[in-house]
Amino acid sequence: MKENNQNAPYKFKKLDPPQDFRFTLSYVSLDVFLKQAQGLHRLSRLPRRELEATLRDTIQEREDYSQFDHSWLQDINERQVHEARALRITPLVRNPGRLLLTTERLYFQPMNNIESVPVNSWALSSIVRLAKRRHALRHVGLEIFLEDSSSIFLALQSPSERNDLQRVLSSLPAATNLVQNDESNMLLKWMHGLVSNFDYLMYLNSQAGRTVNDLTQYPVFPWVLADYTSTSLDLTNPDTFRDLSRPIGALNPARLQTFLDRYAEMPDDTQPKFLYGTHYSTPAYVLYYLVRRAPDYMLRLQNGKFDAPDRLFHSIEETWTSVLSNPADVKELIPEFYDTQGDAVAEFMYNAENLDLGTKQSGVRVHDVVLPPWARSPRNFVEKMREALECEYVSQHLHQWIDLIFGFKQRGEEAVRANNVFYHLTYEGAVDVEAVTDPAERESLEAQINEFGQTPRQLFDRPHPQRLARPLWRNSSEPLDAGDSGSVLGGTISFLKMLEPGAPIDSVPGRTQEMPGSSSSSSLQSTPSKGREDHSVTYTRTIKWPSTHDMQQKVSAKVHRDSVNAMCLSSSGRTLYTVSQDTTLKIYSVAEQKQQRSINICGLALSACQLTADEKMIAVGSWDNSVYLYSVVNGHVTEKLTGHDDAVSCLRLVGDMLASGSWDSTVKLWSLSSGSGKVPVADFVESETPIRALDMDNTGRLLVSGSEDGSLVFSDLRTRHPIRTLQAHVDAINGVRITADGLNVVTCSEDRHAKIFDVTGGIETWSVDTGVALKCVQTDGSYFMVGGEEGVVRMWDMVRGEEVTHDAMPIEAFPDEDTVTCLGVTALTWDLDDQDEDRRLKTVVFAGSQQ
């Protein structure tokens, strides 16, 4: 109850002499009231522990017997679907009540009258997202996000009740705007600059269970600036910024040493050691920043008082100095310091209510927050803080802070090395609250968490990807990959054409690429209009895979008697090389649409092929455990490379280095330079199961292989040692492609998923379930294509994580639903039908099939 409806410290008066008070009862009879009052008076004389237990039982009994008042339903046609006891969580308040879910609305009827209305209700059509949350260390919370950007935080009685509510709510037809996994590609978008740093940090906080409805789990943001004394802010100077690779407690070397000394002296046998006895995010720290905007919360937390004036949030510079030097202060910031949207920007920095926050010992009154010299106003301060958060320097280092707060440096040995160890009870899973049956002990644990804070749920166990210095925006210098050494399965060839209508080669947007090139996997031949066979003119143009507009099957050719297992293309796109389970290598003229040559390499199936840069030699992998080098010029096999103990399944050629994968679970590296001999120069035991796919980056330094058990192995070709192994899929990996910038790996699998992994840390940045087993993948760095069962080729935008479709449908390569086993992509300036040069770029997809 506020005196004069103003937020102010509570006043406690002891009446002397005692006085009588008279009350009028409006909603209950005197007999009922007196019975309850006398019962509570008797309870008040009990010992504290017994009193608290009796009160809990009394409240529990009342909640158990309470029922929802159906007279509050807004429509008599609504049908009840689900009812449960629940708590509605708002900052510092846990309001028990009855939750009712109908076919049209969600209702919450509180047990008391602290809400502004007797029953709250929300239309199901206004719900846009659901998120599971922790509450009081238990996985019982559900946050319901509404279309007006607000949210409702509910806590159920058990994890199973929470899951039941989420399941039922998600299945109701009236929840028309409820989106499942609408943010699944946020990491991918952030890496490519399509999502701001602010929005990405809010996303990570949400994924880690942070919410503005719970002060113990309030979203946490970093201090990014270290300069709060200059008259102007220089965002091009690295000294302007805080070191984001270190936690707050480690920024001051002298203070860090005191923490380390204390850490070394701690015994190992009592409880886990820690560096910092305080946390970077607690309810008290959140309200330290928000005291002017939410003074009633601080009064509630501080037993009716504001904190001492010298401990209140008064000056940005003073607060920064404190977090650098005070042994008990390692707090980070909250989103309000960077949020420039809405009507409440910088509201937390104004003393709009003219609160009596006291006077410091220096004689200075605590009023509005004192700003740095470079800020003209509180709003300008927030705007410049946001500008700093989004600047290039922070964008290039933010992943280091993410590693500390949400990532692999949050706990364990990496946290110790990073000087990032907090009190053990702050970490998720430190205590199994569900196993604590004593209510008093559980309340004690909750009180400790309120005191120490909660570390966010760990989201990453490997280094977080760095944001791209220059977001792709379709301007990568990545070459087109014109071949697939594919999975061991593919004999029809289908030619699919993509054309960006009316786009002459001089003006096609995308990335720069020189033509003609020297490699079948990285170049594109373009010829001038004076003659198709005149290769004397070299164009330098920007090229990309266009959209699938006008995508259609142009040619289908029966090339093999059995599955096409792999293909590669000449730089001009006029010649196609394919290998098959029918034991033959075929050379097919795309321009003339006829077979030029058929070669029986050996008596067993052929699995893979790669064309050398000069297009004079093709390497062919076989089920007879060998790799054959076939001379295109001389028309015969010139060399046989033996070294595997089982069938060769995949090949990749970069320069003169050839990598071969095999069913014997190894990868071997061969040098094709003259005089190198027939012995592999390196041998990797990559897996315990057969190797199904592999790729090398354009520098020949990194090799990535995929195995039958779904594992993905990264190997350094300079040291000839594996870097890391990931369990990337739950079934065989059939396709692996490294983007030409060396930053990402695209994979596809029998488990129906296509995924993108960051090369630096091995983190999965994006995944999609295509619904069918996938056999092959190709990428130009901005897009990727996959082929698989049901005869379709599907294409995704790697920057936005969105599928590119033709008339809202995947591209149909084989109408009879034959499996697509391998893909080749090239760009032509002549048409498959009439061979005329029209200088409009046509990207052609070659798809091989099983039949």
Side-chain angles (χ1 to χ4, degrees), residues 24-91:
T24 300
L25 302 177
S26 301
Y27 300 104
V28 69
S29 68
L30 180 61
D31 290 340
V32 172
F33 171 77
L34 285 177
K35 183 179 180 181
Q36 292 186 355
Q38 289 167 351
L40 291 173
H41 183 261
R42 286 193 298 271
L43 290 177
S44 68
R45 297 175 177 272
L46 295 174
R48 180 179 177 83
R49 190 177 182 89
E50 186 179 350
L51 168 64
E52 291 177 348
T54 305
L55 283 175
R56 278 194 299 268
D57 292 342
T58 302
I59 294 172
Q60 177 93 27
E61 183 179 4
R62 183 185 173 193
E63 291 180 2
D64 287 342
Y65 281 99
S66 67
Q67 296 295 323
F68 184 84
D69 184 354
H70 287 75
S71 66
W72 288 103
L73 294 181
Q74 295 196 9
D75 190 331
I76 60 173
N77 295 318
E78 292 181 64
R79 181 171 55 84
Q80 178 176 327
V81 176
H82 189 81
E83 185 174 356
R85 284 175 52 199
L87 298 171
R88 185 178 180 189
I89 310 301
T90 54

Side-chain angles (χ1 to χ4, degrees), residues 544-843:
K544 69 172 186 178
W545 290 359
S547 70
T548 55
H549 183 85
D550 197 33
M551 183 60 142
Q552 56 187 301
Q553 187 185 70
K554 302 294 291 186
V555 180
S556 180
K558 182 71 174 178
V559 178
H560 290 276
R561 299 189 309 273
D562 208 335
S563 171
V564 179
N565 284 338
M567 64 174 66
C568 50
L569 290 155
S570 66
S571 59
S572 66
R574 294 178 179 276
T575 305
L576 176 68
Y577 303 83
T578 61
V579 295
S580 168
Q581 213 139 313
D582 66 8
T583 76
T584 63
L585 162 68
K586 298 290 182 76
I587 303 177
Y588 185 89
S589 171
V590 177
E592 299 176 5
Q593 296 182 23
K594 69 177 184 179
Q595 178 178 299
Q596 292 183 327
R597 201 180 305 177
S598 177
I599 308 99
N600 193 339
I601 296 293
C602 63
L604 293 179
L606 306 181
S607 56
C609 61
Q610 287 282 284
L611 192 64
T612 57
D614 60 10
E615 303 184 8
K616 295 181 179 180
M617 189 81 67
I618 185 167
V620 177
S622 171
W623 282 13
D624 70 355
N625 312 350
S626 304
V627 177
Y628 295 87
L629 302 182
Y630 175 81
S631 172
V632 178
V633 176
N634 298 325
H636 61 82
V637 173
T638 61
E639 198 164 2
K640 179 181 179 181
L641 308 178
T642 57
H644 287 289
D645 296 325
D646 208 332
V648 174
S649 57
C650 47
L651 297 173
R652 184 68 168 104
L653 178 64
V654 174
D656 66 348
M657 300 304 294
L658 176 69
S660 60
S662 169
W663 293 354
D664 66 7
S665 305
T666 69
V667 173
K668 298 186 185 297
L669 195 64
W670 314 79
S671 174
L672 302 187
S673 58
S674 58
S676 61
K678 301 179 181 179
V679 179
V681 296
D683 193 338
F684 301 88
V685 180
E686 297 276 306
S687 171
E688 295 180 357
T689 58
I691 305 296
R692 298 289 292 268
L694 59 74
D695 197 12
M696 283 192 290
D697 72 349
N698 288 341
T699 66
R701 297 176 180 177
L702 176 69
L703 184 145
V704 182
S705 62
S707 303
E708 194 170 85
D709 63 359
S711 61
L712 193 67
V713 180
F714 294 69
S715 298
D716 188 331
L717 295 180
R718 294 166 296 181
T719 63
R720 309 290 167 84
H721 291 294
I723 303 171
R724 71 177 61 87
T725 300
L726 311 176
Q727 189 59 47
H729 293 270
V730 298
D731 207 338
I733 297 175
N734 289 328
V736 173
R737 281 290 174 264
I738 305 173
T739 56
D741 57 15
L743 298 177
N744 296 289
V745 175
V746 187
T747 64
C748 69
S749 168
E750 288 288 327
D751 67 8
R752 310 182 309 180
H753 285 79
K755 298 186 178 184
I756 302 175
F757 294 88
D758 168 63
V759 166
T760 304
I763 286 181
E764 179 187 309
T765 60
W766 185 83
S767 175
V768 62
D769 185 346
T770 65
V772 298
L774 301 176
K775 308 298 182 182
C776 49
V777 62
Q778 287 291 354
T779 181
D780 74 338
S782 296
Y783 299 93
F784 74 85
M785 292 182 184
V786 292
E789 294 178 348
E790 299 185 1
V792 297
V793 175
R794 299 178 69 177
M795 181 176 180
W796 273 268
D797 183 325
M798 290 181 62
V799 176
R800 300 182 181 277
E802 299 170 353
E803 185 170 9
V804 182
T805 59
H806 173 54
D807 294 333
M809 297 293 290
I811 307 157
E812 188 177 69
F814 299 102
D816 57 357
E817 298 188 355
D818 190 10
T819 297
V820 177
T821 57
C822 52
L823 290 171
V825 185
T826 191
L828 308 177
T829 56
W830 45 274
D831 196 275
L832 289 170
D833 292 331
D834 54 26
Q835 307 295 306
D836 289 335
E837 295 279 354
D838 60 8
R839 292 173 58 78
R840 288 189 298 175
L841 185 66
K842 306 166 186 68
T843 300

